[in-house]
PDB file of all heavy atoms in Angstrom:
ATOM      1  N   ALA A  33      75.910 127.866 112.160  1.00 95.00           N
ATOM      2  CA  ALA A  33      74.915 128.664 111.414  1.00 95.00           C
ATOM      3  C   ALA A  33      74.552 128.032 110.081  1.00 95.00           C
ATOM      4  O   ALA A  33      73.432 128.090 109.648  1.00 95.00           O
ATOM      5  CB  ALA A  33      75.429 130.081 111.229  1.00 95.00           C
ATOM      6  N   ASN A  58      80.109 115.635 124.843  1.00 97.00           N
ATOM      7  CA  ASN A  58      81.124 114.925 125.593  1.00 97.00           C
ATOM      8  C   ASN A  58      80.573 114.617 126.965  1.00 97.00           C
ATOM      9  O   ASN A  58      79.401 114.881 127.215  1.00 97.00           O
ATOM     10  CB  ASN A  58      82.479 115.716 125.663  1.00 97.00           C
ATOM     11  CG  ASN A  58      82.225 117.100 126.267  1.00 97.00           C
ATOM     12  OD1 ASN A  58      81.499 117.248 127.251  1.00 97.00           O
ATOM     13  ND2 ASN A  58      82.841 118.156 125.631  1.00 97.00           N
ATOM     14  N   ALA A  63      74.310 115.704 129.488  1.00 98.00           N
ATOM     15  CA  ALA A  63      73.013 115.913 130.196  1.00 98.00           C
ATOM     16  C   ALA A  63      72.056 116.741 129.385  1.00 98.00           C
ATOM     17  O   ALA A  63      70.871 116.704 129.602  1.00 98.00           O
ATOM     18  CB  ALA A  63      73.324 116.550 131.543  1.00 98.00           C
ATOM     19  N   CYS A  68      65.645 113.814 125.329  1.00 98.00           N
ATOM     20  CA  CYS A  68      65.575 113.668 123.874  1.00 98.00           C
ATOM     21  C   CYS A  68      65.544 112.175 123.479  1.00 98.00           C
ATOM     22  O   CYS A  68      65.966 111.288 124.229  1.00 98.00           O
ATOM     23  CB  CYS A  68      66.772 114.343 123.249  1.00 98.00           C
ATOM     24  SG  CYS A  68      66.648 116.107 123.296  1.00 98.00           S
ATOM     25  N   ASN A  76      83.596 116.120 115.537  1.00 91.00           N
ATOM     26  CA  ASN A  76      84.403 116.332 116.698  1.00 91.00           C
ATOM     27  C   ASN A  76      83.645 116.205 117.991  1.00 91.00           C
ATOM     28  O   ASN A  76      84.125 116.590 119.071  1.00 91.00           O
ATOM     29  CB  ASN A  76      85.057 117.755 116.602  1.00 91.00           C
ATOM     30  CG  ASN A  76      86.127 117.715 115.544  1.00 91.00           C
ATOM     31  OD1 ASN A  76      86.875 116.735 115.393  1.00 91.00           O
ATOM     32  ND2 ASN A  76      86.252 118.825 114.789  1.00 91.00           N
ATOM     33  N   LEU A  87      73.878 108.317 127.789  1.00 98.00           N
ATOM     34  CA  LEU A  87      72.771 108.506 126.884  1.00 98.00           C
ATOM     35  C   LEU A  87      71.759 107.364 127.019  1.00 98.00           C
ATOM     36  O   LEU A  87      70.531 107.574 127.041  1.00 98.00           O
ATOM     37  CB  LEU A  87      73.286 108.510 125.418  1.00 98.00           C
ATOM     38  CG  LEU A  87      74.097 109.756 124.982  1.00 98.00           C
ATOM     39  CD1 LEU A  87      74.702 109.535 123.603  1.00 98.00           C
ATOM     40  CD2 LEU A  87      73.200 111.005 124.951  1.00 98.00           C
ATOM     41  N   VAL A 107      81.247 102.523 118.404  1.00 95.00           N
ATOM     42  CA  VAL A 107      80.118 101.732 117.897  1.00 95.00           C
ATOM     43  C   VAL A 107      79.996 100.407 118.634  1.00 95.00           C
ATOM     44  O   VAL A 107      78.901  99.927 118.879  1.00 95.00           O
ATOM     45  CB  VAL A 107      80.283 101.522 116.348  1.00 95.00           C
ATOM     46  CG1 VAL A 107      79.083 100.772 115.794  1.00 95.00           C
ATOM     47  CG2 VAL A 107      80.394 102.893 115.634  1.00 95.00           C
ATOM     48  N   ALA A 109      80.688  99.949 121.831  1.00 97.00           N
ATOM     49  CA  ALA A 109      80.023 100.196 123.136  1.00 97.00           C
ATOM     50  C   ALA A 109      78.531 100.496 122.937  1.00 97.00           C
ATOM     51  O   ALA A 109      77.753 100.178 123.826  1.00 97.00           O
ATOM     52  CB  ALA A 109      80.685 101.432 123.775  1.00 97.00           C
ATOM     53  N   GLY A 112      73.759  96.985 120.933  1.00 95.00           N
ATOM     54  CA  GLY A 112      72.777  96.411 121.876  1.00 95.00           C
ATOM     55  C   GLY A 112      72.060  97.442 122.708  1.00 95.00           C
ATOM     56  O   GLY A 112      71.140  97.108 123.453  1.00 95.00           O
ATOM     57  N   HIS A 115      71.165 102.610 118.746  1.00 96.00           N
ATOM     58  CA  HIS A 115      71.473 102.465 117.303  1.00 96.00           C
ATOM     59  C   HIS A 115      72.332 103.668 116.834  1.00 96.00           C
ATOM     60  O   HIS A 115      72.204 104.789 117.380  1.00 96.00           O
ATOM     61  CB  HIS A 115      70.169 102.430 116.476  1.00 96.00           C
ATOM     62  CG  HIS A 115      69.317 101.215 116.779  1.00 96.00           C
ATOM     63  ND1 HIS A 115      69.559 100.004 116.189  1.00 96.00           N
ATOM     64  CD2 HIS A 115      68.265 101.032 117.576  1.00 96.00           C
ATOM     65  CE1 HIS A 115      68.674  99.130 116.664  1.00 96.00           C
ATOM     66  NE2 HIS A 115      67.884  99.755 117.523  1.00 96.00           N
ATOM     67  N   VAL A 119      75.801 109.236 107.541  1.00 96.00           N
ATOM     68  CA  VAL A 119      75.406 109.651 106.184  1.00 96.00           C
ATOM     69  C   VAL A 119      76.533 109.161 105.263  1.00 96.00           C
ATOM     70  O   VAL A 119      77.538 109.863 105.166  1.00 96.00           O
ATOM     71  CB  VAL A 119      75.244 111.172 106.106  1.00 96.00           C
ATOM     72  CG1 VAL A 119      74.773 111.593 104.712  1.00 96.00           C
ATOM     73  CG2 VAL A 119      74.205 111.682 107.148  1.00 96.00           C
ATOM     74  N   THR A 174      90.296 103.742  97.796  1.00 98.00           N
ATOM     75  CA  THR A 174      89.597 103.934  96.531  1.00 98.00           C
ATOM     76  C   THR A 174      88.106 103.688  96.721  1.00 98.00           C
ATOM     77  O   THR A 174      87.446 102.957  95.974  1.00 98.00           O
ATOM     78  CB  THR A 174      90.163 103.005  95.415  1.00 98.00           C
ATOM     79  OG1 THR A 174      90.147 101.664  95.930  1.00 98.00           O
ATOM     80  CG2 THR A 174      91.574 103.377  95.079  1.00 98.00           C
ATOM     81  N   ILE A 193      98.184 105.665  90.582  1.00 98.00           N
ATOM     82  CA  ILE A 193      98.405 104.400  91.252  1.00 98.00           C
ATOM     83  C   ILE A 193      97.638 104.435  92.560  1.00 98.00           C
ATOM     84  O   ILE A 193      97.434 105.498  93.128  1.00 98.00           O
ATOM     85  CB  ILE A 193      99.931 104.067  91.455  1.00 98.00           C
ATOM     86  CG1 ILE A 193     100.617 105.155  92.243  1.00 98.00           C
ATOM     87  CG2 ILE A 193     100.584 103.774  90.137  1.00 98.00           C
ATOM     88  CD1 ILE A 193     102.076 104.826  92.566  1.00 98.00           C
ATOM     89  N   GLY A 204      89.796  98.509  86.804  1.00 95.00           N
ATOM     90  CA  GLY A 204      90.874  98.865  85.887  1.00 95.00           C
ATOM     91  C   GLY A 204      91.948  99.721  86.530  1.00 95.00           C
ATOM     92  O   GLY A 204      92.843 100.250  85.860  1.00 95.00           O
ATOM     93  N   TYR A 207      96.589  98.958  91.213  1.00 98.00           N
ATOM     94  CA  TYR A 207      96.857  98.879  92.657  1.00 98.00           C
ATOM     95  C   TYR A 207      98.301  98.440  92.866  1.00 98.00           C
ATOM     96  O   TYR A 207      98.813  97.562  92.155  1.00 98.00           O
ATOM     97  CB  TYR A 207      95.924  97.828  93.318  1.00 98.00           C
ATOM     98  CG  TYR A 207      94.534  98.378  93.491  1.00 98.00           C
ATOM     99  CD1 TYR A 207      93.499  98.060  92.551  1.00 98.00           C
ATOM    100  CD2 TYR A 207      94.212  99.159  94.562  1.00 98.00           C
ATOM    101  CE1 TYR A 207      92.230  98.546  92.730  1.00 98.00           C
ATOM    102  CE2 TYR A 207      92.942  99.669  94.746  1.00 98.00           C
ATOM    103  CZ  TYR A 207      91.932  99.338  93.826  1.00 98.00           C
ATOM    104  OH  TYR A 207      90.647  99.823  93.973  1.00 98.00           O
ATOM    105  N   VAL A 247     104.051 116.003  97.261  1.00 98.00           N
ATOM    106  CA  VAL A 247     102.971 116.815  97.818  1.00 98.00           C
ATOM    107  C   VAL A 247     101.960 115.885  98.490  1.00 98.00           C
ATOM    108  O   VAL A 247     101.489 114.917  97.843  1.00 98.00           O
ATOM    109  CB  VAL A 247     102.274 117.622  96.670  1.00 98.00           C
ATOM    110  CG1 VAL A 247     101.110 118.469  97.263  1.00 98.00           C
ATOM    111  CG2 VAL A 247     103.265 118.518  95.967  1.00 98.00           C
ATOM    112  N   ALA A 261     105.888 114.232 112.428  1.00 98.00           N
ATOM    113  CA  ALA A 261     106.740 113.691 111.406  1.00 98.00           C
ATOM    114  C   ALA A 261     106.561 114.511 110.068  1.00 98.00           C
ATOM    115  O   ALA A 261     107.564 114.709 109.343  1.00 98.00           O
ATOM    116  CB  ALA A 261     106.385 112.224 111.117  1.00 98.00           C
ATOM    117  N   ILE A 271     109.441 116.931 102.038  1.00 98.00           N
ATOM    118  CA  ILE A 271     108.081 117.147 101.553  1.00 98.00           C
ATOM    119  C   ILE A 271     108.000 118.515 100.845  1.00 98.00           C
ATOM    120  O   ILE A 271     108.375 119.517 101.436  1.00 98.00           O
ATOM    121  CB  ILE A 271     107.099 117.087 102.782  1.00 98.00           C
ATOM    122  CG1 ILE A 271     107.070 115.620 103.273  1.00 98.00           C
ATOM    123  CG2 ILE A 271     105.683 117.498 102.356  1.00 98.00           C
ATOM    124  CD1 ILE A 271     106.365 115.449 104.589  1.00 98.00           C
ATOM    125  N   GLU A 328      68.738 115.929 104.622  1.00 97.00           N
ATOM    126  CA  GLU A 328      67.679 115.035 104.087  1.00 97.00           C
ATOM    127  C   GLU A 328      67.971 113.593 104.534  1.00 97.00           C
ATOM    128  O   GLU A 328      67.100 112.894 105.042  1.00 97.00           O
ATOM    129  CB  GLU A 328      67.673 115.117 102.587  1.00 97.00           C
ATOM    130  CG  GLU A 328      66.465 114.435 101.972  1.00 97.00           C
ATOM    131  CD  GLU A 328      66.382 114.642 100.459  1.00 97.00           C
ATOM    132  OE1 GLU A 328      67.371 115.017  99.842  1.00 97.00           O
ATOM    133  OE2 GLU A 328      65.310 114.437  99.930  1.00 97.00           O
ATOM    134  N   THR A 329      69.204 113.123 104.404  1.00 97.00           N
ATOM    135  CA  THR A 329      69.518 111.729 104.719  1.00 97.00           C
ATOM    136  C   THR A 329      69.408 111.542 106.231  1.00 97.00           C
ATOM    137  O   THR A 329      68.913 110.519 106.692  1.00 97.00           O
ATOM    138  CB  THR A 329      70.946 111.388 104.247  1.00 97.00           C
ATOM    139  OG1 THR A 329      71.029 111.646 102.867  1.00 97.00           O
ATOM    140  CG2 THR A 329      71.286 109.909 104.499  1.00 97.00           C
ATOM    141  N   LYS A 365      67.024  95.783 111.515  1.00 89.00           N
ATOM    142  CA  LYS A 365      67.792  96.545 112.504  1.00 89.00           C
ATOM    143  C   LYS A 365      68.886  95.695 113.094  1.00 89.00           C
ATOM    144  O   LYS A 365      68.776  94.477 113.175  1.00 89.00           O
ATOM    145  CB  LYS A 365      66.856  97.037 113.627  1.00 89.00           C
ATOM    146  CG  LYS A 365      66.050  98.278 113.178  1.00 89.00           C
ATOM    147  CD  LYS A 365      65.185  98.802 114.352  1.00 89.00           C
ATOM    148  CE  LYS A 365      64.403  99.985 113.881  1.00 89.00           C
ATOM    149  NZ  LYS A 365      63.165 100.241 114.590  1.00 89.00           N
TER     150      LYS A 365
END
Side-chain angles (χ1 to χ4, degrees):
N58 55 43
C68 289
N76 289 323
L87 290 172
V107 181
H115 296 278
V119 183
T174 55
I193 56 175
Y207 284 98
V247 179
I271 293 171
E328 189 175 20
T329 305
K365 281 183 181 155

